[in-house]
Amino acid sequence: MLQLTAIEAGYSDLTVLHGIDLEVHAGEIVALIGPNGAGKTTLARTIAGLLPVRRGQIRLAGQAVERLPPWTRIRLGMAHAPEGRQVVAGLTVADNLRLGAYALRRWRNESWIGGRVAAVCELFPPLRERLDDTAGNLSGGQQQMLAIARALMTQPKLLVLDEPSLGLAPALVADIFRLIDRLRAQGIAILLSEQNAQMTLAIADRAYVIETGSIALQGRGRELLGRPEIAERYLGIGGDSAAAGRRHAQDRHARLVRGLADIFDS
């Protein structure tokens, strides 16, 4: 569904991304993890068309889109839920959702848009109850729901999620990740850029680790979750130099894998 080849991008004279190769297939979640400043948000913005590609190619369902504007990428099946939610605080929840379908206004009538509002509210029942409320009065978790629901208004084939759990309470984070799992089951290709590496790797089919604008490591999500070097660097689990300490750390990693797997397999 999505294929990046040797992507370079950045800001002004600064090149942030260096030769990124990445793929996301239909019906799978691909995680993008890494430290702050590694280039995760820059990559999400580049895929969405908010930053120009300096070199390389972006293909969506086999079509080259790196020179196309964001609204054309939306029409071709791409959607982007940005970091920081970026809902329009002064507009109602319903109007924020309708903005999500704005790029399709010439091809979709009011009945279709109304149907999409109803459909996304099935995924986010709290929004249905607050359609006439201004978005600025929603809680942080509800605003994140609105940001994702707005991206889903176009019935995308590819959904790029940038830090959807940022600033949310743990219970709300679990709700967001369960929803992402449901979207995968609908056949949507999902690129999930997240700092919550534990839950992200637990739910991801595959994952890429990005450091200083380059892909440092890739593999199956739960395999990476179980690797001690990943746990020590991104999961906040310190390593021990002694062999016995290392074995103990590996046991903890294995228990973490099993525990998170139970959450999403239940």
Side-chain angles (χ1 to χ4, degrees):
M1 181 58 64
L2 175 71
Q3 183 177 34
L4 308 186
T5 304
I7 289 296
E8 294 185 7
Y11 306 88
S12 300
D13 295 332
L14 176 65
T15 299
V16 176
L17 304 178
H18 308 278
I20 297 290
D21 294 327
L22 180 149
E23 290 186 353
V24 187
H25 303 133
E28 75 169 353
I29 297 172
V30 171
L32 186 67
I33 66 170
N36 283 334
K40 299 189 302 295
T41 291
T42 299
L43 182 56
R45 289 171 57 84
T46 301
I47 293 169
L50 301 176
L51 286 175
V53 171
R54 296 179 177 178
R55 184 174 298 174
Q57 188 175 68
I58 301 175
R59 300 187 73 86
L60 178 65
Q63 179 175 346
V65 300
E66 68 275 2
R67 303 303 174 194
L68 299 180
W71 52 90
T72 302
R73 301 185 198 196
I74 291 172
R75 294 169 194 160
L76 292 173
M78 181 185 296
H80 174 220
E83 179 186 18
R85 300 153 196 165
Q86 299 185 27
V87 300
V88 184
L91 294 182
T92 66
V93 169
D95 284 342
N96 270 272
L97 291 175
R98 292 172 61 84
L99 279 176
Y102 186 76
L104 304 182
R105 67 194 184 282
R106 295 183 182 178
W107 296 273
R108 297 290 187 264
N109 58 30
E110 289 296 318
S111 176
W112 186 89
I113 293 174
R116 289 303 302 154
V117 171
V120 298
C121 285
E122 287 294 319
L123 293 171
F124 302 94
L127 298 182
R128 185 192 302 114
E129 302 167 2
R130 306 199 63 176
L131 285 174
D132 295 327
D133 292 350
T134 56
N137 290 331
L138 299 181
S139 68
Q142 290 170 337
Q143 288 188 14
Q144 186 59 71
M145 292 179 187
L146 178 56
I148 298 175
R150 181 181 58 191
L152 293 172
M153 282 291 293
T154 58
Q155 286 186 306
K157 301 172 184 175
L158 168 71
L159 178 61
V160 180
L161 294 173
D162 192 5
E163 302 288 0
S165 74
L166 186 66
L168 300 184
L172 291 175
V173 171
D175 288 342
I176 293 295
F177 274 79
R178 288 190 184 97
L179 170 73
I180 294 169
D181 196 32
R182 289 174 61 191
L183 295 176
R184 166 175 53 190
Q186 296 178 6
I188 299 174
I190 300 170
L191 179 63
L192 176 58
S193 171
E194 259 289 347
Q195 287 193 59
N196 189 331
Q198 289 187 353
M199 295 189 75
T200 302
L201 291 176
I203 197 175
D205 297 288
R206 295 184 297 108
Y208 295 83
V209 178
I210 185 169
E211 295 184 349
T212 60
S214 300
I215 300 299
L217 193 64
Q218 60 180 290
R220 307 292 297 177
R222 292 181 183 177
E223 290 174 1
L224 291 181
L225 181 60
R227 292 178 63 164
E229 65 269 30
I230 294 295
E232 291 167 12
R233 191 158 191 171
Y234 298 108
L235 308 186
I237 302 173
D240 300 298
S241 57
R246 174 69 68 186
R247 287 194 298 272
H248 178 64
Q250 290 172 338
D251 288 341
R252 286 186 297 168
H253 304 154
R255 290 196 299 271
L256 175 62
V257 171
R258 291 193 297 271
L260 291 174
D262 288 344
I263 292 175
F264 295 106
D265 291 340
S266 61

